[in-house]
Amino acid sequence: MSAYRTGDPLDRRRFLTAAALRGATVIGTGALSAGALGTGVIGATALGAVDADAAFAAPIRPLDPAVAESAFAEGRITAINHDVLEVAGSYGDHSRVRVTNATSVWKARATTAADIETGDGVYARGLPLPDGTLAADAVWVNIVNLHATIRGIEKTRLHLAHGQHEIVGNLMAQTTSASYGDASPTADLSRLTIGQSAQVLGAWRPSDGSVDLVRVAVAPGAGRRR
């Protein structure tokens, strides 16, 4: 099983750098700076926060000794059996993730388990059960967090370069926000320009490999009007 406890020495941010651009599940290249998202789950549980940034944040150890440490599982969903996700991990292992009505689900926005589909990538946090199943407290579906360069700007999408990969980023009305330097995220995308380096947070679409953009963060000083 690919679940592991917060105490394990594995660097979770490095773990999340795995592979989605080559058909796997989740991409991550470090945590985004703190700040309000254009969408997402707001709140926290005994296991930690449940917004999109929380997938990349350092794990929080529970203060209540009665609450067990959280564990994590990741991979591509190969089957859905009632409330259990069968997950093929990035390293050849297998996980079973149980999703209930109490599970927080993020898929570019706060949603429900009904939006989870076979073929989606999943990153789940929860508590391990005696049978090895992970009882999910929070599930992030197809979450993407990566550094890229803006290569083109259209009305409804950005063209991004990530290493050797070309990525189409879908701009979503009332959802996509931009963060310029240390400023709070804003719906104003007009200051994004070709050539800017950006860190993008969004949800990968397995059907076509594009990314639904939740937030585009550019460096301090970028996007200033002259």
Side-chain angles (χ1 to χ4, degrees), residues 3-225:
Y4 60 93
R5 297 181 181 277
T6 57
D8 287 352
L10 183 60
D11 181 340
R12 189 151 53 97
R13 292 176 185 168
R14 183 176 180 183
F15 181 66
L16 287 171
T17 50
L21 291 176
R22 298 188 178 180
T25 59
V26 184
I27 327 172
T29 53
L32 287 162
S33 59
L37 287 173
T39 187
V41 182
I42 304 300
T45 71
L47 301 183
V50 292
D51 63 4
D53 287 297
F56 304 94
I60 299 175
R61 295 183 182 277
L63 297 177
D64 186 346
V67 178
E69 290 184 11
S70 55
F72 299 87
E74 63 80 42
R76 190 87 175 264
I77 299 172
T78 58
I80 301 175
N81 298 319
H82 302 291
D83 60 350
V84 174
L85 310 178
E86 303 289 344
V87 180
S90 298
Y91 300 97
D93 45 9
H94 179 268
S95 299
R96 302 179 77 245
V97 177
R98 185 176 301 279
V99 179
T100 71
N101 291 336
T103 304
S104 297
V105 179
W106 183 96
K107 192 175 184 179
R109 59 185 175 83
T111 186
T112 67
D115 279 343
I116 302 175
E117 301 175 295
T118 300
D120 280 339
V122 66
Y123 180 63
R125 181 187 69 201
L127 297 176
L129 300 178
D131 65 358
T133 301
L134 183 73
D137 163 69
V139 170
W140 294 270
V141 182
N142 297 329
I143 190 167
V144 168
N145 176 14
L146 73 162
H147 293 289
T149 301
I150 300 174
R151 296 299 191 195
I153 300 175
E154 299 181 18
K155 184 176 181 180
T156 60
R157 59 187 182 179
L158 299 180
H159 294 272
L160 305 167
H162 173 68
Q164 300 300 313
H165 300 281
E166 298 294 327
I167 304 167
V168 173
N170 305 302
L171 299 174
M172 301 181 292
Q174 300 180 339
T175 295
T176 305
S177 65
S179 178
Y180 303 101
D182 296 327
S184 298
T186 174
D188 178 14
L189 307 180
S190 65
R191 289 179 284 166
L192 297 177
T193 61
I194 294 173
Q196 283 177 329
S197 295
Q199 191 168 13
V200 298
L201 174 66
W204 169 59
R205 288 188 187 180
S207 59
D208 62 11
S210 66
V211 174
D212 291 337
L213 299 176
V214 172
R215 187 164 75 233
V216 182
V218 296
R224 289 182 181 168
R225 301 182 190 278

